[in-house]
């Protein structure tokens, strides 16, 4: 007979029959019955009524039956918490069973029963299992502590399990140590500030001993834990490195990468002139190369991490260029990553090889890959000056292939080469012009137009070429339109006699026939410039441009350091800080590389200094200033002396900087004291300029659409649009930054002025890649409410300073107060009544919400999702009254009564609050929520 | 970018889906709570964008989860992740799952997984506890869950005997085909088992010892230890035959069937070749560092003892040369192809099983070629040309030439096809690596020992 017998029961009295069988004296019959019960459970029948009977079967010596009952228990314990307690005794008993397999099974199952009432009773058995004589039970119990902590953290702490877990780090069995570390790391992650894994030289020593003996997965836990430790000095650092390096030869690539993380981090502390430092560098290369011969998925993760490693320490892999050469049947995701690393490793020494490869790739099948290869040639030209000529000729060869997308990419990168080496390669322009007709992508068209405009005086038929674009002006993308406008103006300034007509044509197209404000604005500016002062126009339009920077896509150094500490994680795959992955305010802890210490620094020999000197510029080209410089820049604007030296913690320093900056500026503004400092007067100008903009307009409310906060005109081409939101208890400022200028923008930072509710950025503004012209980037900036407080007018006004490589810009915006409504804003009924009475009547404000067609339930749920909680509902004379409460982040309570009458679309809202000035803003939120 | 929570869950791998390359989810397993299979839609979306399943990116972000997948044997192994987990950890684990299936069922395919679905669940249950890897060593797993044998599968079919996996979450949903009625018998089979069980009741002996990879009490009548030194040449040659890149990936595969607790030492004639190595955990790293010998207590049965990597250019000999000339639209709608493959640095051995594979451009309708040796096929659908040469002869060098017929009026192909070369050389490790001797300590008997060498082509490509 097959298993199907368990499914063929008569419908009638099924439960009754099963009950009888479960209570049978015969063991076999009992077992069969439990199987039937579980069969029903699996197909979705409700057999929870049998709970007590099934639990009775739990007391058995038969392992199989026991497992089945455990299975049932885990499924129904949550819905039958009272009865689940009946199982407690058996668990307690099983935890003392002579068979360690049963003891472990019991403790494993316990952890999966997520019922509060039970967990309390399970503490004693767990405590015993944590001290069990059998290591198999101990290691299972260690994991159970993590499970229990997930259910009831307080209980685990009160019961002292954390201490027991810490003791297990000194266990004699390496597997127990590994599991204890895993459990502690897990718990510590949800309590970033707790000192759970309080690592000291003794515990580190124990971990290192266990590292050699535990399983590969345990090794990963231990290595990841070691990576969080900061050695006291370079000696300790070296001795840990020495004990970790054997892991580089492990067959499991996750072990290898975790070991690489530890070494990359601790290496930071070793003096560079130390012999061991060089040895370690040499040891790191082979395992990284080996990772590239693994399966493609492993290669991908490895390559993403190698990308970080070569940015931090290019010397490790500088001789390994060839392993990144692309094979034609590599998956596309591997190809693209390899290409990226090839460019990072490109240098004068290997550029010939690299170029030959890139040229080969340009004839591959995959279009994305070919495009990236062509771009890569351009990047090589910009990176390795000596190779520029060769790169240009390679690009010309590729243009000769006439393959459409190759030609277009080539033209885009040649434009960049022109910007890096002006007036050097104009000879190729003729070839480029031949391909004008085949360009159908905006970026390529814009690049071509830029080239024509820039070199208009050397192209005989520049006017004809540009005129040909002008015909379809309205069908072009904004990018092309803007370029065309500028190019024709350049042309006019260079050859004024024959191009008057053309320039007038383009100006009228831009200003009169276009709906695009950017285009119109630029058109007007040119027009006025040209008509009022052509000499000035020449100075402005034909000004010498800054050369473009060497490598544009390097990760910002502070972020890079943080990512190095997270090698092997998702963060390292996405090249984003871990805070981008972790929900909620807790759990984010910025990791930093340890500072270099020890004797090496001071006694560094000249040779050492020299070798460091050659390595460093390669490692961190000075294109992007470090966090310290960046803060320095901002602080320099302050009247006080610039802060130099120690880099303070980023967040607080930024807030401080903002305070000083804005505070000083505003004071001098209000005091009428326009100081002699250029920084202040500059600021003053901007503030004056901007004030009508933000106070003149009406108060805006929360809307999902982005508002333009800072128009490009007022910020040298940077346009900032944004909105606010509250997600999972965290306030976010959603920013959309658009570069409408001609040059790349980098080094973004943001600061807030003091404001009514202490809003402050919870982290630096994460604009990782430079913002190239016409590019828009969306950034979500988490905000905290622990910043300095100053009452603003209007109350929800927020003054913001944004800095980039060009300047500092100021704007002001208003946030919907609903982002401050906290999730635990539901008041107890009794408290609500008392508070309502307690607040004086003069604090009550009444508002009318018109044209709203929701019924009270819909309104209530809509409000609830915005943290406006309905505490009670009363219906009097077909009029619904909702009593509601709101709590703000600063602890202010707002109580409300919302009256809705059936058939009447006008609601009445009464708000009572001890701080009545917020009522107005709360009302606005009501209105927005209900009407959207 | 989904935000993953660090607070909610202590599970690393939340769920596992097995998906066929045709996009059919044929098995799902959840360790904590059920995650709807609709999460796989994001994989399908990525698959839609990718030209082939191999090109689907291994890490995919969805609004609430990350999908980390590997593609093996035409199956996607998709892990659903909710916490920040090292992706390599997950990828390694997924490969381990695939290898375990291969080990247990002889092949890792949709059919074999479906046929052994009960063992599959038992294995998954044993391999992960609450999403953490538990037992992944083949030796330990086999003590807890016996692999299927013909006899046992007959017995199990007769008695319907199966044992439940140990614990976790029990929504063992699976589908074979889309209809629910088909699921039912499988569920029944899955859940109900009487009498003899696949699951051991004893704690596996290796689980906690210092040598977790070896079970205790191994006994053989014939004690034997075989080692295969397998080297693969990865190389890219340019169109004129120059080496662009070349390296050797070597592994030493072992099949050790020795009684008791043997302690082995394997030494090499020329260990200096090996500067980039990865070892099975059984190898004592300190001895390797100090003496350059492999000292280890082996796992029982088949395992990979070490892998190594030689990329010093002068050490990589290229055993064949390839001359080729492929042209399209030379005259009207035809092209020419002329390929010659000959032996080069073969250290006096014969190169066998030589196969040349070319992925031709789309415009190629057919090929009319004449091989001087071996046979050729051209598949006009996949556009793959395969020339199976066989042994390379010193005297008469094989050649394939003839004309290609192309789609008339089509533009000249933009890409140049690459040639992929397969080959094999018996009794030779191309790097020159040689085993010196194998000694055994700790046991009294005299084992039978053997070492075999073979060199193959790995990713061996010739550009045109």
């Amino acid at each position: 007979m097959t298993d199907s017998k368990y499914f063929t029961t008569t419908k009638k009295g099924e439960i009754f029959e099963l009950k009888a069988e479960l209570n049978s004296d015969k063991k076999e019959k009992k077992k069969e019955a439990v199987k039937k019960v579980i069969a029903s459970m699996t197909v979705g029948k409700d057999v929870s009524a049998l709970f007590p009977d099934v639990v009775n079967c739990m007391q058995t010596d038969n392992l199989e039956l026991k497992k089945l009952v455990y299975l049932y228990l885990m499924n129904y314990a949550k819905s039958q918490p009272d009865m689940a307690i009946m199982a407690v005794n058996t668990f307690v008993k099983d935890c003392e069973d002579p068979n360690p397999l049963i003891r472990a099974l019991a403790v494993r199952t316990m952890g999966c029963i997520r019922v509060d009432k039970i967990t309390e009773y399970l503490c004693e058995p767990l405590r015993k299992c944590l001290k069990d004589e059998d290591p198999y039970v101990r290691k299972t119990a260690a994991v159970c502590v993590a499970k229990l902590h997930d259910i009831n953290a307080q209980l685990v702490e009160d019961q002292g399990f954390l201490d027991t877990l810490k003791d297990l780090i000194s266990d004699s069995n390496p597997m127990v140590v590994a599991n204890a570390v895993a459990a502690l790391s897990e718990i510590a992650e949800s309590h970033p500030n707790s000192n759970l894994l309080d690592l000291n030289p003794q515990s580190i020593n124990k971990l290192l001993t266990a590292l050699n003996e535990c399983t590969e997965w345990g090794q990963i836990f231990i290595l990841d834990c070691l990576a969080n430790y900061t050695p006291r000095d370079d000696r300790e650092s070296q001795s840990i490195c020495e004990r970790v390096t054997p892991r580089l030869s492990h067959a499991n690539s996750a072990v290898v990468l975790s070991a690489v993380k530890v070494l990359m981090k601790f290496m930071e502390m070793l003096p560079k002139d130390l012999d061991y430092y060089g040895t370690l560098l040499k040891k790191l290369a082979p395992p990284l190369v080996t990772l590239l011969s693994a399966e493609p998925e492993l290669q991908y993760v490895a390559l993403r991490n190698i990308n970080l490693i070569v940015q931090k320490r290019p010397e490790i892999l500088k001789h390994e260029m060839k392993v990144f050469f692309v094979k034609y049947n590599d998956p596309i995701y591997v190809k693209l990553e390899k290409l990226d690393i090839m460019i990072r490793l490109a240098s004068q020494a290997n550029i010939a090889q690299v170029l030959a490869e890139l040229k080969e790739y340009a004839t591959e099948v995959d279009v994305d890959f070919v495009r990236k290869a062509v771009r890569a040639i351009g990047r090589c030209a910009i990176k390795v000056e000596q190779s520029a000529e060769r790169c240009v000729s390679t690009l010309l060869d590729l243009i000769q292939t006439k393959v459409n997308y190759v030609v277009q990419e080539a033209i885009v990168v040649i434009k960049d080469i022109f910007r890096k080496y002006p007036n050097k390669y104009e000879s190729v322009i003729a070839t480029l012009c031949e391909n004008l007709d085949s360009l159908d992508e905006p970026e390529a068209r814009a690049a071509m137009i830029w080239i024509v405009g820039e070199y208009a005086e050397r192209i005989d038929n520049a006017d004809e070429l540009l005129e040909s674009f002008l015909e379809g002006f309205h069908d072009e993308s904004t990018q092309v339109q803007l370029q065309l406008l500028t190019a024709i103006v350049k042309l006019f300034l260079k050859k004024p006699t024959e191009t008057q007509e053309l320039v007038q044509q383009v100006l009228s197209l831009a200003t009169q026939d276009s709906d695009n404000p950017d285009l119109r604005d630029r058109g007007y500016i040119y027009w006025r410039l040209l008509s009022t002062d052509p000499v000035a126009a020449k100075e402005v339009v034909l000004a010498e441009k800054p050369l473009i920077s060497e490598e544009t896509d390097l990760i910002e150094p502070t972020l890079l350091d943080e990512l190095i500490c997270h090698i092997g994680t998702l963060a390292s795959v996405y090249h984003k800080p871990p805070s981008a992955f972790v929900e909620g305010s807790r759990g984010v802890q910025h990791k930093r590389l340890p500072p270099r210490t020890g004797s090496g620094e001071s006694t560094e020999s000249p040779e050492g200094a020299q070798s460091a000197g050659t390595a460093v510029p390669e490692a961190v080209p000075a294109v992007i200033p470090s966090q310290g410089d960046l803060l320095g820049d901002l602080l320099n604007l302050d009247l006080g002396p610039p802060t130099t030296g120690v880099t303070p913690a980023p967040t607080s320093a930024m807030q401080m900087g903002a305070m000083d900056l804005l505070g000083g500026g505003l004071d001098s503004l209000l005091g009428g004291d326009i100081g002699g400092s250029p920084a202040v007067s500059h600021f003053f100008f901007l503030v004056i300029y901007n004030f009508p903009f933000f106070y003149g307009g009406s108060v805006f409310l929360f809307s999902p659409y982005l508002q333009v906060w800072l128009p490009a005109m007022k910020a040298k081409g940077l346009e900032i649009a944004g909105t606010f939101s509250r997600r999972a208890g965290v306030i976010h400022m959603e920013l959309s930054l658009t570069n409408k200028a001609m040059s790349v923008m980098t080094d973004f930072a943001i600061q807030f002025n003091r404001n009514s509710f202490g809003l402050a950025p919870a982290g630096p503004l994460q604009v990782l890649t430079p913002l190239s012209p016409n590019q828009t980037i969306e950034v979500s900036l988490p905000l905290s409410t622990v910043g300095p407080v100053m009452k603003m007018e209007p109350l929800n006004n927020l003054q913001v300073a944004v800095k980039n490589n060009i300047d500092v810009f100021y704007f002001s915006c208003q946030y919907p107060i609903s982002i401050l409504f906290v999730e635990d804003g539901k008041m107890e009924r009794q408290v609500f009544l008392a508070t309502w009475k307690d607040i004086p009547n003069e604090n009550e404000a009444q508002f009318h919400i018109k044209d709203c067609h929701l019924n009270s339930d819909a309104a209530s749920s809509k409000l609830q999702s915005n943290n406006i909680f309905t505490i009670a509902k009363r219906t009097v004379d077909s009029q619904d009254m909702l009593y509601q409460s709101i709590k703000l982040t600063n602890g202010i309570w707002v109580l409300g009564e919302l009256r809705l009458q059936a058939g009447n679309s006008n609601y009445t809202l009464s708000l009572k609050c001890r701080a009545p000035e917020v009522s107005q803003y709360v009302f606005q939120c009501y209105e927005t929520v209900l009407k959207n | 970018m989904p935000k993953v929570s660090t607070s909610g869950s202590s599970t690393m791998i939340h769920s596992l889906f097995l998906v066929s390359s045709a996009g059919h989810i044929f098995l799902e397993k959840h360790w904590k709570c059920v995650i709807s299979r609709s999460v796989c839609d994001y994989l399908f979306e990525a698959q839609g964008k990718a030209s082939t399943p191999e090109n689907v990116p291994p890490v995919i972000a969805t609004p609430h989860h990350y999908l980390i997948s590997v593609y093996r044997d035409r199956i996607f192994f998709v892990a659903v992740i909710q916490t920040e987990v090292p992706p390599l950890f997950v990828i390694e684990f997924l490969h381990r799952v695939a290898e375990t299936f291969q080990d247990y069922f002889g092949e890792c395919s949709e059919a074999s997984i479906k046929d052994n679905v009960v063992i599959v669940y038992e294995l998954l249950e044993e391999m992960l506890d609450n999403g953490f890897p538990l037992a992944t060593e083949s030796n330990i797993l086999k003590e807890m869950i016996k692999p299927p044998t013909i006899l046992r599968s007959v017995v199990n079919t007769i008695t319907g005997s199966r044992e439940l996996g140990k614990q976790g979450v029990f929504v063992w949903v699976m589908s074979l085909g889309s209809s629910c009625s088909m699921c039912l018998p499988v569920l029944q089979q899955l859940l109900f088992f009487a009498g003899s069980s696949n699951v051991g009741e004893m704690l596996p002996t290796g689980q906690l010892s210092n040598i977790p990879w070896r079970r205790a009490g191994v006994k053989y009548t014939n004690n034997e230890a075989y080692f295969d030194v397998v080297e693969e040449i990865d190389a890219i040659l340019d169109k004129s035959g120059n080496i662009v890149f070349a390296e050797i990936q070597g592994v030493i595969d072992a099949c050790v069937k020795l009684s008791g607790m043997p302690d082995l030492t394997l030494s090499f004639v020329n260990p200096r070749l090996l500067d980039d190595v990865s070892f099975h955990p059984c190898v004592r790293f300190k001895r390797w560092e100090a003496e350059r010998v492999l000292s280890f207590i082996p796992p029982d049965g088949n395992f990979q003892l070490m892998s190594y990597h030689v990329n010093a250019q002068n050490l990589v000999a290229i055993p064949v040369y390839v001359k080729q000339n492929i042209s399209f639209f030379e005259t009207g709608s035809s092209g020419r192809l002329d390929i010659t493959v000959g032996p080069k640095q073969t250290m006096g051995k014969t190169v066998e099983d030589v196969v040349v594979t070319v992925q031709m451009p789309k415009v190629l309708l057919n090929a009319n070629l004449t091989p001087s040796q071996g046979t050729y096929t051209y598949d006009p659908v996949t556009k793959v040309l395969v020339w199976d040469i066989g042994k390379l002869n010193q005297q008469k060098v094989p050649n394939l030439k003839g004309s290609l017929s192309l789609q008339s009026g089509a533009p000249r192909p933009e890409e140049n096809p690459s040639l992929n070369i397969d080959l094999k050389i018996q009794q030779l490790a191309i790097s020159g690596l040689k085993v010196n001797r194998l000694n055994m300590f700790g046991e009294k008997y005299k084992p039978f020992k053997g070492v075999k060498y073979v060199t193959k082509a790995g990713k061996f490509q010739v550009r045109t």
Side-chain angles (χ1 to χ4, degrees), chain A residues 467-569:
Chain A
E467 200 172 357
S468 68
F469 282 101
L470 209 54
E471 282 160 21
F473 189 77
H474 289 301
D475 301 328
E476 299 283 2
S477 72
T478 312
Q479 190 182 7
V480 179
Q481 289 174 334
L482 288 168
Q483 279 302 352
L484 196 51
L485 173 61
T486 305
I488 292 178
V489 171
K490 280 182 190 164
L491 173 70
F492 172 72
L493 290 168
K494 288 173 177 176
K495 300 179 182 173
T497 44
E498 59 261 56
T499 55
Q500 276 197 13
E501 207 173 302
L502 196 59
V503 82
Q504 269 170 8
Q505 206 182 337
V506 77
L507 288 175
S508 90
L509 277 171
T511 54
Q512 286 161 30
D513 300 343
S514 170
D515 296 333
N516 185 325
D518 292 332
L519 186 63
R520 258 193 341 246
D521 288 353
R522 196 186 284 190
Y524 279 124
I525 291 171
Y526 284 146
W527 204 324
R528 277 177 208 160
L529 262 174
L530 291 173
S531 54
T532 50
D533 188 351
V535 180
K538 212 161 187 165
E539 270 170 30
V540 171
V541 180
L542 301 180
E544 206 166 298
K545 279 163 279 296
L547 299 182
I548 58 171
S549 55
E550 194 171 281
E551 266 192 274
T552 46
D553 59 344
L554 285 173
I555 294 174
E556 199 260 325
T558 37
L559 176 63
L560 180 60
D561 284 354
E562 195 181 352
L563 288 175
I564 289 286
C565 299
H566 288 95
I567 282 176
T569 64

Side-chain angles (χ1 to χ4, degrees), chain B residues 415-441:
Chain B
E415 75 273 9
N416 299 330
S418 284
L419 274 54
N420 208 42
I421 314 286
D422 272 326
L423 57 85
K424 196 164 157 188
I425 308 170
Q426 301 280 12
Q427 294 311 317
L428 174 72
I430 197 94
S431 69
L433 185 72
K434 271 209 166 67
V435 172
N436 186 22
R437 56 186 300 139
L438 176 74
N439 294 323
M440 187 183 74
F441 307 93

Side-chain angles (χ1 to χ4, degrees), chain A residues 531-657:
Chain A
S531 54
T532 50
D533 188 351
V535 180
K538 212 161 187 165
E539 270 170 30
V540 171
V541 180
L542 301 180
E544 206 166 298
K545 279 163 279 296
L547 299 182
I548 58 171
S549 55
E550 194 171 281
E551 266 192 274
T552 46
D553 59 344
L554 285 173
I555 294 174
E556 199 260 325
T558 37
L559 176 63
L560 180 60
D561 284 354
E562 195 181 352
L563 288 175
I564 289 286
C565 299
H566 288 95
I567 282 176
T569 64
L570 280 172
S572 73
V573 171
Y574 282 94
H575 291 186
K576 296 204 167 170
S579 50
F581 297 85
V582 179
E583 219 159 44
S585 51
R586 60 186 191 156
V588 189
Q589 196 175 32
H590 291 278
K591 290 188 185 169
R592 265 187 268 168
L593 289 173
R596 198 175 290 275
T597 59
S599 52
E601 201 70 348
S602 48
T603 61
E604 204 164 306
S605 64
E607 289 93 327
Q610 203 157 28
S611 70
T614 48
V616 165
E618 251 192 299
V620 189
V623 184
I624 297 167
S626 69
Q627 183 78 33
D629 297 345
L630 202 135
L631 287 167
D633 282 353
L634 282 170
L635 291 166
N636 278 339
L637 283 174
D638 186 16
L639 295 174
T643 323
T644 48
V646 205
T647 309
T651 343
S652 64
M654 286 184 63
Q655 285 163 4
M656 288 312 295

Side-chain angles (χ1 to χ4, degrees), chain B residues 41 48 59 149 184 191 219 225 266 314 332 384 403 421 430:
Chain B
D41 291 349
V59 185
T149 61
L184 199 62
L191 283 167
K219 269 209 178 97
L266 185 74
N314 50 351
V384 176
S403 63
I421 314 286
I430 197 94

Side-chain angles (χ1 to χ4, degrees), chain A residues 442-464:
Chain A
E443 202 180 356
R445 287 173 82 83
M448 191 65 223
I449 292 169
W450 182 86
I451 293 171
V452 174
E454 192 66 16
Y455 293 95
E457 68 274 27
R458 308 192 200 179
I459 305 172
D460 294 337
N461 60 343
D463 49 343
E464 280 169 38

